[in-house]
Amino acid sequence: MKVDRLLGILTVLLQNERVTAPFLAEKFEVNRRTIGRDIDALCRAGIPVITHQGAGGGISIAEGFKLDKSILTKDELSGIIAGIKGLGTVSERVPIERTLEKLGFNAVASMREPVVIDLASHYKGSLTRKIEIIKNAVSESRLVEFDYYSGKGESRRRIEPYFVIFQWSAWYVFGFCAQRQDWRLFKLARLWNLQRCAEKFSPQEIPPEQRNFDAQFTDENRLVAIFEKSEKYRLVEAYEPGSFTETPEGLRLEIGFTNRDYMISWLLGFGSKVKVIEPEDIAEEIQTTAKKILSNYK
């Protein structure tokens, strides 16, 4: 929708000193002519957007402006406030009070917004730095390199970065991996020694199927397990109330899953309060792990 895109462009302009029309066109998946019309629409709405010509030019927003809140609905205002507050938990460069004031909000009153989104983690310092490096690399179309740790071992990766994503309770960078010659998601918590390269890249068009990030986590594998009734709250927390069946033996959970290692780790967290029925290979691996744990204490 055009209104959503205008709000998105306004947010980008608030977060960057200056951006180019091609950058906005790629980010919002429209052509440069559409971006030009959007900029005109923002100006007609009373937002002082300035276009700079020549080398080093681009689009920026005048300092000190305040947005007329009458052009937004109450729900839209609430969403913007919550989003700004959430972004402020992971970015040292998001001056929440100043941004809210630019948008025409009373900063003190806005902080009382009942929706709190805290996107930080116990390693906020390194997370903030990673997000800043990747964000700058995306805006300048520069490659990034990093050490990546996965179940298959350690590797040095070089990618074309396109998005930083918060999904499935974790932060990811989405980009085109030079080693795999394919689109990949990399978890920021497993990504270290991140560097922005001097080498630039020409942004590719992202295939539509790759933009559906949920599709990258399929659930073709099947788990059947019996949990003790005392663990009901944990099953509700993880999968919702209707995900399991109450039986005389306990709570029977039948779900699909993608990551085998993660599922084994999750099941081991229940200790003796779960019994895996299928698949048999996971039941056998849990037995082997339990024996090794026992041997550590002999």
Side-chain angles (χ1 to χ4, degrees):
M1 293 177 61
K2 182 176 180 180
V3 173
D4 294 335
R5 190 171 65 248
L6 290 177
L7 287 174
I9 292 173
L10 176 58
T11 301
V12 170
L13 293 176
L14 282 171
Q15 295 176 356
N16 298 273
E17 291 184 5
R18 188 174 298 184
V19 298
T20 65
F23 171 78
L24 292 174
E26 179 186 350
K27 185 175 184 64
F28 295 99
E29 299 180 327
V30 294
N31 56 44
R32 293 180 62 178
R33 184 174 299 177
T34 299
I35 292 297
R37 290 196 293 266
D38 289 342
I39 296 302
D40 289 340
L42 289 173
C43 291
R44 290 195 301 270
I47 299 169
V49 180
I50 303 171
T51 301
H52 308 266
Q53 303 297 328
I59 303 167
S60 66
I61 200 161
E63 286 291 332
F65 93 100
K66 290 189 177 182
L67 179 66
D68 182 0
K69 298 191 296 297
S70 65
I71 68 174
L72 300 172
T73 67
K74 182 178 179 180
D75 287 343
E76 288 170 339
L77 294 176
S78 178
I80 289 174
I81 293 170
I84 292 172
K85 288 162 63 179
L87 187 60
T89 63
V90 292
S91 176
E92 294 175 350
R93 298 190 178 185
V94 178
I96 300 176
E97 292 83 359
R98 190 179 70 190
T99 303
L100 288 170
E101 288 172 358
K102 278 188 175 183
L103 288 170
F105 304 137
N106 180 297
V108 175
S110 297
M111 289 304 177
R112 300 195 189 108
E113 163 67 35
V115 177
V116 177
I117 303 175
D118 190 343
L119 301 177
S121 71
H122 67 277
Y123 73 110
K124 176 182 175 180
S126 60
L127 174 63
T128 299
R129 180 63 179 156
K130 290 174 185 177
I131 291 176
E132 288 296 329
I133 291 174
I134 295 170
K135 187 177 75 171
N136 291 334
V138 172
S139 65
E140 297 176 6
S141 296
R142 294 187 185 275
L143 298 172
V144 295
E145 285 187 345
F146 49 85
D147 293 330
Y148 197 67
Y149 298 80
S150 70
K152 296 180 180 179
E154 304 172 17
S155 60
R156 185 71 178 172
R157 298 298 185 95
R158 172 178 282 213
I159 70 167
E160 301 173 4
Y162 287 83
F163 301 109
V164 174
I165 305 164
F166 183 79
Q167 200 162 356
W168 313 293
S169 302
W171 288 93
Y172 297 81
V173 57
F174 174 76
F176 189 81
C177 179
Q179 285 92 329
R180 299 291 184 266
Q181 284 296 296
D182 199 3
W183 301 93
R184 289 286 192 273
L185 277 173
F186 297 94
K187 202 170 189 176
L188 294 195
R190 298 178 180 175
L191 179 161
W192 295 93
N193 299 321
L194 172 65
Q195 295 179 343
R196 183 181 60 173
C197 303
E199 182 181 349
K200 287 195 169 187
F201 65 91
S202 298
Q204 306 180 52
E205 183 175 349
I206 302 174
E209 64 274 14
Q210 294 292 341
R211 288 183 173 273
N212 181 10
F213 302 119
D214 287 318
Q216 301 196 33
F217 287 78
T218 57
D219 57 356
E220 66 275 8
N221 302 306
R222 200 74 182 162
L223 171 79
V224 179
I226 304 294
F227 296 78
E228 291 188 9
K229 293 184 179 181
S230 63
E231 303 308 293
K232 178 186 286 189
Y233 74 100
R234 295 180 63 183
L235 298 184
V236 169
E237 178 183 348
Y239 292 104
E240 76 181 23
S243 61
F244 54 87
T245 305
E246 297 197 32
T247 70
E249 293 79 20
L251 307 176
R252 184 182 178 91
L253 179 71
E254 298 187 25
I255 56 169
F257 67 93
T258 301
N259 191 314
R260 183 178 184 277
D261 292 338
Y262 172 81
M263 179 54 65
I264 291 174
S265 176
W266 182 70
L267 290 167
L268 285 170
F270 289 88
S272 62
K273 296 182 178 181
V274 61
K275 179 180 179 180
V276 175
I277 308 301
E278 57 181 74
E280 291 185 6
D281 64 305
I282 285 185
E284 291 171 357
E285 184 160 339
I286 289 178
Q287 289 182 53
T288 301
T289 302
K291 291 176 182 178
K292 288 181 179 179
I293 291 174
L294 182 61
S295 67
N296 288 339
Y297 293 92
K298 287 185 176 179

